[in-house]
């Protein structure tokens, strides 16, 4: 890497080259917006006359960058919307349109946006804003001309011309512009700090942590300089005389995370852009982007995404700011939870909407103390091998603990996904590290299904019922049993035949399979409890006496816990939302006594 002397001519040349990246970025964003990747009517105004059609790969690159920044910014504004005042400080903002987009959709009621860039850039942007009615009208009253380094000043928007590498000058100008260090502040740095010497960028990161008690930091930059693509990437920026200084000292996401944690930030999460695209962008939006224009540069797209990351760090925020873990804090339906120990559970899959199902897996870490509350439960996103990722991108599936050759596995089976209405595949995940393992399975493969039941029995798995490919309930029961060299599917014949059903729960007790509730097509009665003798196949149905209940008991979408000593079933939840008839959920748990049917059966 060629060194640049910090002298008059070379320093000016370097700043001009860095400023040029901002103009090029504005042109690329404008091109992406013109093709429908980004919805932003202000980009064309701020890009001025600089218009040029970019390649599809560049469009995708700027789309994922804009999406990551917007995702984190919107999350910050959402989490702080109840506070009286907040502020955003965009470092190296260039001709970015963030302020205008947020103001246009009404998200800046109590937030002031400060933008900082080189004086020349700030002056050009201020002139653009003043010269365009569409921009100046949105900003509103400026209260007069900007003074000195403050090139533009309005009630909720300040534009400052300062070299970021001059920290003392930056701090003085921000104070003069009215920045309040005592209120929650979001710092944004999109491919900015890497152009600075590491000592100066490190100082800025540490200054922000030390001087702002409640702060968040959003950064988007490059990683992995040493592989072939990384060498090409570095050569490109060096030819532009804009070398990427941070890469040598902070070559990967883990190093960047350690950087922030070592500079005073208490929480920090990082994702490369492949992970962000799959985890944080809904499936229907991913599909929309894929159809915008012809695209065949898949290798370069995935390589480029693996060489860029988004980082979110915070300190002093209550609750914690974790925008890169949407599935951690967000709601999900039709997932599974497997308890692996007294302090550890695993959440697999689930969905928010039928088109947003890429929620992955979560570790739930419970404290050992008995008086801990919900806020004491730790939640972490699980990092999976590529071969195992499909196991997590589903819902209405089952996850069951099995033992094979003395080793413990989770058996993930069936379900549905955003791409497949019904799945018939399975995965063996070795616990506790969740490594993908191939185990030979023989026998007739069960029909694909979702909303079935699954429970452990004699080291294997019992699968019962479910909804098939034709949206018809299934009445089959299968056992995945152990052989010396592998596993085998075995059909369990029931007599009389099991009435097809789905959305039920299941338990095994003393060689008997108990199926609880569910939905079937027999209008004369609703499913109660079915008992199947696994030795003889005898199948008997029992009706649940609900006369003493003051509300209708809904036995679908429920959970149940079997208490073997008491021979009781505890039914928790159940019910759903019907858009015609309204919502009905079981208001409280129900205990079902099974002592009479288990003795008589």
């Amino acid at each position: 890497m060629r060194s640049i002397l910090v002298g008059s001519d070379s320093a000016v040349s370097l700043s001009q080259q860095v400023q040029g990246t901002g103009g090029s970025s504005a042109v690329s964003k404008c091109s992406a917006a013109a093709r429908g990747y980004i919805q932003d009517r202000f980009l064309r105004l701020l890009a001025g006359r600089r218009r040029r059609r970019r390649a599809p790969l560049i469009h995708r690159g700027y789309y994922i960058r804009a999406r990551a920044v917007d995702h984190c910014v919107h999350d910050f504004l959402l989490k702080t919307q109840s506070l009286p005042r907040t502020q955003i400080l965009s470092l190296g903002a260039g001709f970015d349109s963030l302020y205008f987009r947020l103001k246009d959709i009404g998200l800046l009621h109590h937030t002031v946006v400060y933008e900082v860039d080189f004086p020349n850039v700030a002056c050009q942007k201020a002139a653009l804003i003043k010269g365009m009615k569409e921009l100046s009208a949105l900003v509103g009253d400026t209260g007069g001309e900007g003074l000195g380094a403050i090139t533009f000043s309005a009630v909720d928007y300040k534009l400052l011309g300062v070299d970021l590498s001059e920290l003392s000058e930056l701090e003085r100008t921000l104070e003069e512009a009215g920045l309040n260090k005592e209120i929650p502040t979001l710092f944004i740095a999109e491919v900015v700090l890497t152009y600075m010497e590491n000592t100066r960028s490190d100082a800025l990161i540490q200054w922000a942590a030390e001087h702002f008690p409640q702060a968040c930091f959003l950064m988007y930059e490059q990683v992995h300089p040493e592989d072939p693509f990384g060498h090409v990437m570095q050569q490109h920026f060096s030819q532009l005389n804009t070398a990427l200084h941070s890469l040598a000292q902070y070559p990967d996401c883990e190093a960047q995370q350690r950087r922030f944690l070592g500079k005073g930030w208490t929480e920090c999460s990082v994702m490369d852009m492949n992970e962000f695209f799959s985890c944080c962008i809904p499936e229907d939006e991913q599909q929309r982007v894929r159809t915008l224009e012809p695209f065949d540069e898949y290798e370069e797209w995935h390589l480029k995404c693996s060489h860029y990351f988004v980082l979110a760090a915070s300190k002093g925020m209550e609750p914690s700011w974790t925008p890169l873990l949407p599935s951690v804090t967000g709601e999900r339906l039709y997932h599974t939870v497997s308890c692996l120990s007294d302090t550890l559970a695993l959440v697999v899959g689930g969905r928010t909407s039928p088109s947003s199902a890429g929620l992955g897996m979560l570790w739930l870490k419970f404290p050992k103390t008995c008086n801990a509350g919900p806020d004491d439960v730790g939640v972490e996103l699980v990092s999976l091998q590529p071969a195992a990722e499909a196991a997590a991108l589903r819902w209405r599936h089952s996850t069951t603990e099995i033992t094979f050759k003395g080793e413990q596995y989770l058996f993930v089976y069936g379900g549905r996904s955003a791409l497949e209405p019904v799945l018939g595949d399975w995965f063996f995940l070795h616990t506790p590290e969740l490594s993908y393992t191939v185990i030979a399975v023989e026998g007739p493969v069960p029909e694909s299904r979702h909303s079935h039941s699954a429970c452990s029995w004699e080291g294997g798995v019992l699968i019962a019922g479910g909804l098939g490919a034709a949206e018809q309930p299934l009445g089959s029961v299968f056992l995945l049993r152990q052989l010396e060299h592998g596993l085998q599917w075995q059909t369990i014949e029931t007599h009389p035949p099991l009435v097809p059903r789905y959305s039920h729960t299941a338990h095994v007790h003393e060689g008997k399979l108990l199926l609880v509730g569910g939905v079937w097509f027999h209008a004369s009665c609703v499913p109660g409890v079915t008992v199947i003798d696994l030795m003889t196949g005898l199948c008997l149905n029992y009706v649940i006496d609900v006369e003493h209940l003051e509300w209708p008991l809904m036995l679908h979408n429920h959970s149940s816990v079997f208490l073997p000593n008491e021979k009781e079933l505890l039914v928790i939840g159940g019910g759903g939302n019907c858009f015609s008839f309204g919502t009905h959920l079981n208001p409280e748990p129900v205990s079902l006594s099974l002592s009479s049917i288990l003795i008589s059966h």
Side-chain angles (χ1 to χ4, degrees):
M1 184 180 294
R2 183 164 57 90
S3 62
I4 301 175
L5 296 174
V6 183
S8 57
D9 294 338
S10 57
V12 170
S13 175
L14 175 59
S15 69
Q16 289 174 343
Q17 294 295 338
V18 173
Q19 292 172 46
T21 65
S24 176
S25 175
V27 173
S28 297
K29 288 180 180 179
C30 195
S31 179
R35 297 298 298 177
Y37 287 86
I38 305 168
Q39 281 67 53
D40 189 341
R41 64 188 181 92
F42 301 104
L43 281 171
R44 60 179 178 81
L45 302 176
L46 292 166
R49 297 180 179 178
R50 296 166 294 186
R51 304 286 177 84
R52 185 177 177 183
R53 170 78 178 269
R54 301 296 200 195
L57 180 62
I58 294 178
H59 289 158
R60 282 201 179 194
Y62 276 92
Y63 164 80
I64 193 71
R65 170 176 170 175
R67 185 84 187 197
V69 172
D70 282 0
H71 175 87
C72 295
V73 171
H74 283 228
D75 189 81
F76 170 81
L77 293 172
L78 177 65
K79 296 293 175 55
T80 59
Q81 62 181 343
S82 62
L83 302 179
R85 288 184 300 162
T86 61
Q87 56 198 8
I88 296 174
L89 174 52
S90 182
L91 305 170
F95 295 91
D96 188 62
S97 61
L98 177 67
Y99 164 79
F100 298 95
R101 286 184 284 115
L102 295 177
K103 183 69 175 289
D104 190 46
I105 59 179
L107 291 182
L108 296 181
H109 296 302
H110 59 96
T111 304
V112 180
V113 176
Y114 296 81
E115 292 185 349
V116 181
D117 212 310
F118 289 108
N120 286 344
V121 175
C123 288
Q124 291 179 47
K125 189 171 187 178
L128 274 173
I129 296 171
K130 295 171 184 176
M132 293 191 180
K133 291 183 178 179
E134 193 171 353
L135 297 177
S136 58
L138 199 59
V139 175
D141 184 19
T142 62
E145 294 294 320
L147 299 174
I150 305 173
T151 62
F152 196 99
S153 180
V155 174
D156 58 2
Y157 179 62
K158 318 287 182 180
L159 182 55
L160 316 179
V162 184
D163 188 338
L164 292 175
S165 63
E166 301 297 334
L167 187 54
S168 59
E169 179 66 14
L170 173 64
E171 185 173 15
R172 185 193 65 78
T173 305
L174 287 170
E175 290 179 357
E176 184 181 338
L179 190 74
N180 186 344
K181 295 179 180 178
E182 301 303 318
I183 64 176
T185 303
L186 172 63
F187 294 83
I188 302 175
E190 291 184 58
V191 196
V192 172
L193 302 189
T194 190
Y195 295 136
M196 300 165 57
E197 296 292 341
N198 287 341
T199 54
R200 294 180 181 268
S201 59
D202 283 347
L204 195 157
I205 292 170
Q206 186 165 345
W207 167 81
E210 289 179 349
H211 289 79
F212 292 79
Q214 302 175 77
C216 304
F217 206 114
L218 165 61
M219 186 167 77
Y220 177 88
E221 277 189 9
Q222 301 91 343
V223 280
H224 301 310
E226 294 305 323
D227 64 18
F229 190 92
H231 280 292
V232 173
M233 177 177 69
Q234 286 194 93
Q235 184 179 7
H236 165 77
F237 285 99
S238 293
Q239 288 173 347
L240 296 175
N241 198 23
T242 54
L244 307 176
H245 295 288
S246 64
L247 285 176
Q249 190 170 347
Y250 307 109
D252 53 39
C253 292
E254 291 75 17
Q256 287 285 3
Q257 190 175 42
R258 291 193 298 270
R259 177 191 196 183
F260 275 77
L261 293 175
K263 296 285 184 277
W265 298 87
T266 57
E267 297 187 63
C268 183
S269 53
V270 191
M271 279 186 177
D272 73 22
M273 302 319 292
N274 280 320
E275 185 179 5
F276 179 85
F277 188 80
S278 62
C279 293
C280 298
I281 297 182
E283 186 72 29
D284 53 352
E285 172 64 9
Q286 294 181 29
Q287 186 61 31
R288 185 191 73 84
V289 170
R290 295 187 186 106
T291 60
L292 287 176
E293 59 184 332
F295 185 83
D296 200 38
E297 293 79 25
Y298 300 107
E299 296 84 356
E300 288 78 9
W301 162 240
H302 290 122
L303 283 169
K304 186 171 184 178
C305 283
S306 70
H307 285 75
Y308 280 83
F309 70 90
V310 59
L311 174 148
S314 65
K315 56 160 293 189
M317 298 296 294
E318 293 292 341
S320 299
W321 187 60
T322 54
L324 298 183
L325 302 178
S327 58
V328 170
T329 55
E331 299 85 356
R332 59 176 70 192
L333 299 167
Y334 304 119
H335 54 284
T336 60
V337 181
S338 301
C339 185
L340 303 184
S341 71
D342 291 341
T343 59
L344 186 66
L346 179 72
V347 178
V348 178
R351 69 166 176 85
T352 52
S353 71
S355 62
S356 301
L359 300 184
M361 297 187 187
L362 305 176
W363 287 120
L364 302 181
K365 298 185 176 181
F366 300 90
K368 296 180 179 179
T369 176
C370 295
N371 57 359
D375 293 337
D376 298 315
V377 179
V379 184
E380 296 179 7
L381 195 65
V382 176
S383 178
L384 292 170
Q385 297 172 306
E389 288 179 351
L393 304 180
R394 61 187 62 210
W395 72 94
R396 291 182 177 267
H397 56 286
S398 60
T399 304
T400 318
E401 294 181 71
I402 68 168
T403 303
F404 180 68
K405 294 185 176 181
E407 297 291 325
Q408 301 296 314
Y409 297 89
L410 288 177
F411 176 70
V412 180
Y413 170 74
R416 60 172 304 180
S417 71
L419 300 178
E420 297 293 337
V422 61
L423 298 168
D425 58 348
W426 57 81
F427 294 81
F428 295 97
L429 303 179
H430 187 266
T431 58
E433 77 282 2
L434 302 181
S435 58
Y436 173 70
T437 306
V438 177
I439 300 177
V441 178
E442 301 176 353
V445 177
E447 179 181 348
S448 299
R449 65 192 67 206
H450 65 72
S451 307
H452 53 280
S453 66
C455 48
S456 301
W457 186 52
E458 296 187 346
V461 181
L462 283 164
I463 303 292
L467 203 60
E471 294 189 5
Q472 295 292 311
L474 303 175
S476 53
V477 180
F478 284 85
L479 170 64
L480 183 66
R481 69 185 188 95
Q482 294 200 31
L483 303 175
E484 287 188 8
H485 59 280
L487 298 168
Q488 181 184 57
W489 286 112
Q490 174 184 322
T491 302
I492 294 181
E493 300 293 343
T494 61
H495 56 87
L498 175 68
V499 177
R501 73 197 65 200
Y502 70 99
S503 196
H504 54 283
T505 55
H507 308 273
V508 175
H509 175 67
E510 295 181 350
K512 298 178 178 65
L513 176 62
L514 314 177
L515 305 182
V516 184
V519 174
W520 62 21
F521 287 179
H522 286 251
S524 58
C525 62
V526 297
V529 177
T530 297
V531 181
I532 300 173
D533 190 312
L534 295 171
M535 298 295 104
T536 66
L538 180 61
C539 177
L540 298 176
N541 296 314
Y542 296 90
V543 177
I544 298 173
D545 182 5
V546 296
E547 288 186 2
H548 66 288
L549 287 180
E550 298 176 355
W551 38 267
L553 178 63
M554 310 292 279
L555 285 179
H556 62 277
N557 293 333
H558 62 285
S559 299
S560 61
V561 179
F562 181 65
L563 307 175
N565 294 334
E566 296 82 0
K567 291 184 172 58
E568 288 185 359
L569 268 172
L570 187 64
V571 177
I572 304 170
N577 177 43
C578 176
F579 290 103
S580 296
F581 306 136
T583 299
H584 179 79
L585 304 174
N586 295 330
E588 59 187 68
V590 174
S591 176
L592 305 178
S593 175
L594 305 183
S595 56
S596 60
I597 65 175
L598 292 179
I599 292 174
S600 63
H601 186 252

